Amino acid sequence: MFGFEQFVALNRRLSGLWRLAWLNILWIAVTVAGLGLVGFGPASYALAKYLHHWLRDGTTPPVAPTFFRYARELRWHPVVMGAILLLAGAVILVNLLSLSDWYLRAANLAAAAVLWILGAYVFFVMAALDVTGIRAQLSSALLLGVGSLHWTIIATTTVLVGYGLMLRFAAPLLVMFGIALPALVFAAVCRRILRDLEISPEADPHPVLRVPAHPAERTDASPPRPTKAAQRSSSLPKGTPA
């Protein structure tokens, strides 16, 4: 029977799908308005930050005003980060299309895998961690992706399977969820990774240092040992002069 609780759960899921599609449309609009090279970084940062707060805190502020505010939040920094990723991707693509030696193609494929990890994590690092500087943020993204390689592989497989299903059965969904799908998957992965890295609240913040036990020694409270003279005097029978 379809009750009130099931209706509320269905309404929450449908609202989440609508919000995800709206974020995808805003990402496309900001990227196109910035002619790709300028708009890609701010749009990706705004998408990552909105999803991070959505999944971590459950907060869902108005989509469009919040998205545009996040896109302008760091000014030029996301622009530079996005330009670096796009230019690196363009170089790798040209090399793969032009080079014929297998070892050079293998090296560029490895570089493409590293670039995929950087692009998947770096904007979440900017949104969730207090890491400043482009080099430090790229290093942190690479450490998160490689350090949790199993989650990176699972997330990448999920994205590829999702794209395959949409291409096979519902190609128009790519327009609605094209960039939102990998963003949502890696937002969930980053939430899991960062939660695992946090200190458990049950842990004792003031651990007690245990000193190794030593053999018991005489203290001032213990009775003194009798001297040799006292022992000799106590051993003499009564009435015998000392």
Side-chain angles (χ1 to χ4, degrees), residues 5 29 34 36 43 45 62 80 97 110 118 125 135 146 152 157 166 174 186 214 225 233 237 242:
E5 294 181 357
Y45 171 76
V80 175
L97 294 177
L118 292 176
V125 168
R135 182 176 180 180
V146 176
T152 303
T157 304
M166 285 190 288
L174 285 173
F186 279 97
H214 295 283
R225 297 180 61 183
S233 63

Side-chain angles (χ1 to χ4, degrees), residues 204-213:
D204 188 2
H206 303 290
V208 179
L209 295 178
R210 299 185 180 274
V211 180

Side-chain angles (χ1 to χ4, degrees), residues 8-241:
V8 172
L10 178 61
N11 182 66
R12 187 182 300 112
R13 293 188 180 93
L14 292 177
S15 299
L17 287 176
W18 173 86
R19 187 173 292 107
L20 200 62
W22 187 217
L23 286 170
N24 185 80
I25 294 173
L26 290 174
W27 183 90
I28 295 175
V30 173
T31 304
V32 172
L35 301 178
L37 191 64
V38 177
F40 172 76
S44 300
Y45 171 76
L47 179 61
K49 187 163 185 177
Y50 192 99
L51 290 175
H52 171 68
H53 287 295
W54 183 8
L55 296 183
R56 188 194 66 176
D57 305 326
T59 56
T60 54
V63 179
T66 306
F67 190 92
F68 290 126
R69 177 165 56 85
Y70 287 161
R72 300 189 304 269
E73 190 174 57
L74 299 183
R75 298 185 180 180
W76 60 268
H77 192 78
V79 176
V80 175
M81 185 67 72
I84 291 174
L85 296 177
L86 289 178
L87 292 176
V91 171
I92 293 173
L93 180 61
V94 171
N95 289 338
L96 288 175
L97 294 177
S98 60
L99 297 175
S100 57
D101 296 330
W102 67 269
Y103 53 89
L104 294 177
R105 295 179 65 87
N108 280 273
L109 286 175
V114 173
L115 184 63
W116 168 256
I117 294 175
L118 292 176
Y121 287 99
V122 70
F123 292 107
F124 290 103
V125 168
M126 295 170 61
L129 300 179
D130 188 15
V131 180
T132 59
I134 293 177
R135 182 176 180 180
Q137 290 168 351
L138 290 173
S139 301
S140 301
L142 187 61
L143 286 175
L144 283 180
V146 176
S148 302
L149 190 59
H150 58 294
W151 285 115
T152 303
I153 294 174
I154 292 173
T156 302
T157 304
T158 303
V159 171
L160 293 177
V161 171
Y163 279 158
L165 291 175
M166 285 190 288
L167 284 173
R168 178 67 176 82
F169 298 105
L173 290 179
L174 285 173
V175 180
M176 296 181 62
F177 303 103
I179 194 61
L181 173 63
L184 179 64
V185 171
F186 279 97
V189 168
C190 286
R191 175 178 175 268
R192 175 61 182 269
I193 294 173
L194 295 177
R195 186 180 63 185
D196 292 343
L197 293 177
E198 291 176 354
I199 300 176
S200 176
E202 291 82 10
D204 188 2
H206 303 290
V208 179
L209 295 178
R210 299 185 180 274
V211 180
H214 295 283
E217 298 179 354
R218 185 179 65 85
T219 61
D220 294 338
S222 59
R225 297 180 61 183
T227 61
K228 294 182 179 180
Q231 291 178 354
R232 187 174 62 253
S233 63
S234 62
S235 61
L236 293 177
K238 292 183 178 180
T240 304

